[in-house]
Structure formats: C-alpha cells, structure tokens
Amino acid sequence: MKKTLKLTFGIAAALAAVSVLIVLYQNSYKMTEEKIQITTPKGLLTGTLTLPKNYSGKIGLVVFVHGDGPINDTYDDGYKPLWEKFASKGYASLSLNKPGINSAPGNWLAQSMEDRAQEIRYAIDWARSLPMIDKQKIGLWGASQAGWIIPKIVKEEHDIAFSILVSPAVNWISQGQFNTRKELEREGVTPQEIQKTLNYDQEILQLLKRQASYEEYLSIADPDDMISKERWSFIRKNFLSDSTEELSHFHTPVLLVLAGKDINVDAKDTERVYRQKIPPELLSVIHLPEADHSMMDEKIARSKYLTFLTAVFAPRKLVNDEYLEILANYVSER
C-alpha cells in the first residue's frame, strides 16, 4: 500500500512538474519587453515596447490602438502572440495602458475619440525619437473602436506606413443596433422581445441626442441593465462617432480583417463602406470565417472553461492561427 501511495504521489508530482514547464514554455515569448513612460502636454502615458530579441540596424514599429473597455497595455497578455509574430519579422510593437488602467493617470471613460487619437500621436512622436526605429516603417494596428480613431490619426500623421484594422467599427449607432439584435438572436430571444429591446434602445438614443443628464436616463433605465454615470458620460460624448467620411484620409496601404462569426460589428456593411471610401490599390480585405470579433475561434470564445485552459496552456492558440500569419506576412511585405 505504501509503495502504491508513493508511486501515485510520484506520478502526480511528475505531472505537476510537467504542467508547470508547459505553462512556462507556452507563456515565454521570443521578444524583449520594456515598460515605458511618455511625458506629453496632456500628462503621462505608460505602456510596453517590445523588440525583436536579436536585431541590427533600424527596425519597423507597429503602434497598437485598443478597442472599447478598460484595456491594459498587454490586453491581459492577449497581444503577446501577435507581438511575437511581428518581432519575428523585424518589427517592434508599442502599446499603451488606457488612462486609469495599470496605475496610468487619468480616466479612459472621460475621453473622446479625438482624445484617444491624440494619445497615439504623442506615442508616435516619442517612438520616432528612438534610435532603433525606422521612421518610414511605423504602422498602426487597431481593433473595433479603433475604427473611429485610426482615421483621425492618419489625417494628421501623413507618414504612417500602413494601417491594420481588425473588426473595425464604422457607425456607433448602427453598430449598437446590430450587436443588440445578434446577441439576442444567439440567446434564442423571441422576435417580439428583440423588438421591445430595440424600442427601449431608441428611447435611450433620443435622450443621448438631447444630451440628457444621467438623472434623466435613470428615470427610464432598465434596473437589470444599468449604465454607470461615467459610462453614460462616455457614451454621450462619443455616440455620434462615424468613420465613413474620415476613411478618405487613408493614403497608404490598409489591411481590413473581418471575422465570419462577428456579432459586434456588421462585417458586410463594414467592407462595403471601406471599399467605397478607400482606393482599391490601397485596400486589402481578409475574411476569417471561423473567427469572432476578437479574432478568437468562436468555439473557444463561447466557453469560459476552454478560454481559461487555452490561455494558461496554449495562449498562442487563443488567436486564430491564420490571422497571426496574415498580419506577420503583411508587415514583412511593407
């Protein structure tokens, strides 16, 4: 019995050791990460700069522009597989903490889309001063809400080498309506209940158009789906965001990446608008049929258990493999 117990304990210990080694290996990336601070006229920006492990001479840079939400510089390590891919092609990556996140000064909910664009302009100016960065090879990567921000950046920054837009938003209002309908349909809600929710959303929209106070919102708010006062202020400041006309500011290559399982953004409408506004010689469009809004495999994304296990034991698999390869090859061709 003692021998059996010892053997069982030994096997368990060995499995635990192997698991630790797997986790350590899978969460080790072939790149160098540096925490950075950037002093600007509007305050301090903090974030991460990643560099290829071994490089010589000048290298390119991809500046990251986040989507919505309280996002830190690494996107809870979700950006790292992509940073590693860029590093393998000789590109650095630069990503900021949103204001108020990771002890960064400020509050991201107090920002307009123009405020966010100005932050990235400051980051680009800082990056141009770095001795290893090739000023002619600075590009942008952005997802979702970045669809409203990147066109504002390229309007002012005429030497951006390329822009990669992943599941970008075009019109705040229509995107919200699309997202609401798709989420309810996935939950199996009846058409009548969907219409009831859309009618409620229209009431909220009318308040926003009047720039109504938070107290006015509370008078009609659904108690099961309350918006915080800070979030209400953020929405009121930004709900008219629409990139349609600003897309004409692009004058360097644009890669548009769209997901087949996206319920946040209407991919078909986004592609239509981009093709209308961006010259065909500048625009490349990639479709990933099995990916969701975050470029994760939908089957993993819909299971918290699978998402957790994948994040721990195989974090590179959280993101669609084809997506990583496409983006890595795109920057290397620039």
Side-chain angles (χ1 to χ4, degrees):
M1 176 65 84
K2 288 183 179 180
K3 287 184 179 181
T4 302
L5 288 174
K6 285 181 179 180
L7 180 61
T8 302
F9 178 78
I11 293 172
L15 289 173
V18 169
S19 297
V20 169
L21 289 173
I22 291 172
V23 170
L24 290 174
Y25 172 76
Q26 289 292 334
N27 287 275
S28 298
Y29 294 91
K30 297 175 182 178
M31 59 191 182
T32 302
E33 299 178 43
E34 300 178 7
K35 292 300 179 183
I36 56 99
Q37 293 187 342
I38 303 171
T39 302
T40 78
K42 297 290 182 68
L44 189 69
L45 301 176
T46 67
T48 296
L49 175 69
T50 66
L51 299 165
K53 281 248 182 212
N54 299 300
Y55 66 89
S56 59
K58 298 282 188 176
I59 59 175
L61 173 70
V62 182
V63 182
F64 277 59
V65 184
H66 306 307
D68 191 16
I71 300 174
N72 60 24
D73 51 354
T74 71
Y75 196 32
D76 292 333
D77 290 351
Y79 288 152
K80 290 188 177 183
L82 183 52
W83 291 351
E84 183 181 53
K85 282 291 186 181
F86 286 156
S88 74
K89 301 298 182 180
Y91 269 79
S93 297
L94 174 61
S95 181
L96 303 174
N97 291 300
K98 281 195 177 183
I101 307 302
N102 268 1
S103 300
N107 180 357
W108 68 273
L109 284 169
Q111 291 186 307
S112 67
M113 295 301 122
E114 178 54 40
D115 293 332
R116 295 197 57 199
Q118 185 56 55
E119 275 188 351
I120 301 301
R121 294 188 196 108
Y122 288 141
I124 292 168
D125 286 344
W126 175 83
R128 289 192 182 111
S129 71
L130 300 177
M132 79 290 285
I133 299 300
D134 185 340
K135 296 177 185 179
Q136 305 306 312
K137 293 174 65 177
I138 297 177
L140 302 171
W141 172 97
S144 194
Q145 199 175 87
W148 296 312
I149 300 162
I150 287 179
K152 296 179 185 296
I153 298 167
V154 299
K155 180 182 179 181
E156 304 294 334
E157 301 289 338
H158 298 288
D159 54 356
I160 294 297
F162 58 85
S163 301
I164 300 170
L165 292 108
V166 180
S167 304
V170 174
N171 179 280
W172 180 299
I173 295 172
S174 61
Q175 177 199 349
Q177 292 169 341
F178 173 85
N179 177 229
T180 297
R181 182 179 293 277
K182 288 297 181 182
E183 284 193 350
L184 293 175
E185 287 175 354
R186 190 169 72 176
E187 293 169 9
V189 175
T190 65
Q192 292 78 12
E193 285 299 314
I194 290 174
Q195 191 56 54
K196 182 179 177 181
T197 301
L198 291 173
N199 291 342
Y200 170 70
D201 286 351
Q202 280 299 311
E203 290 185 66
I204 301 297
L205 180 58
Q206 293 309 310
L207 290 180
L208 290 167
K209 287 181 176 179
R210 291 198 291 103
Q211 289 290 293
S213 67
Y214 185 63
E215 287 67 32
E216 288 179 89
Y217 158 71
L218 288 178
S219 68
I220 69 161
D222 179 353
D224 296 324
D225 188 25
M226 297 283 286
I227 300 170
S228 71
K229 188 172 185 178
E230 285 184 316
R231 183 70 184 179
W232 176 258
S233 177
F234 177 77
I235 295 171
R236 196 171 66 168
K237 191 176 295 184
N238 293 295
F239 80 99
L240 292 176
S241 295
D242 188 329
S243 65
T244 303
E245 297 307 319
E246 291 178 315
L247 293 177
S248 61
H249 298 318
F250 285 108
H251 53 271
T252 55
V254 176
L255 176 63
L256 174 64
V257 185
L258 299 170
K261 306 296 185 181
D262 196 340
I263 66 168
N264 293 70
V265 168
D266 186 339
K268 289 182 179 178
D269 187 64
T270 296
E271 181 176 359
R272 176 187 63 80
V273 175
Y274 270 64
R275 289 195 184 279
Q276 284 180 352
K277 295 297 181 178
I278 300 175
E281 64 271 18
L282 296 181
L283 180 64
S284 301
V285 181
I286 297 296
H287 295 269
L288 298 174
E290 298 307 314
D292 78 342
H293 184 66
S294 300
M295 292 299 137
M296 292 174 63
D297 185 291
E298 189 203 22
K299 293 176 183 177
I300 295 175
R302 291 186 67 175
S303 167
K304 291 183 179 179
Y305 179 69
L306 279 178
T307 300
F308 172 76
L309 288 179
T310 306
V312 173
F313 291 102
R316 290 170 183 82
K317 296 297 182 182
L318 272 178
V319 186
N320 183 282
D321 284 336
E322 187 180 1
Y323 165 75
L324 292 176
E325 290 299 328
I326 287 169
L327 266 61
N329 292 332
Y330 185 80
V331 299
S332 70
E333 291 167 2
R334 304 275 72 78

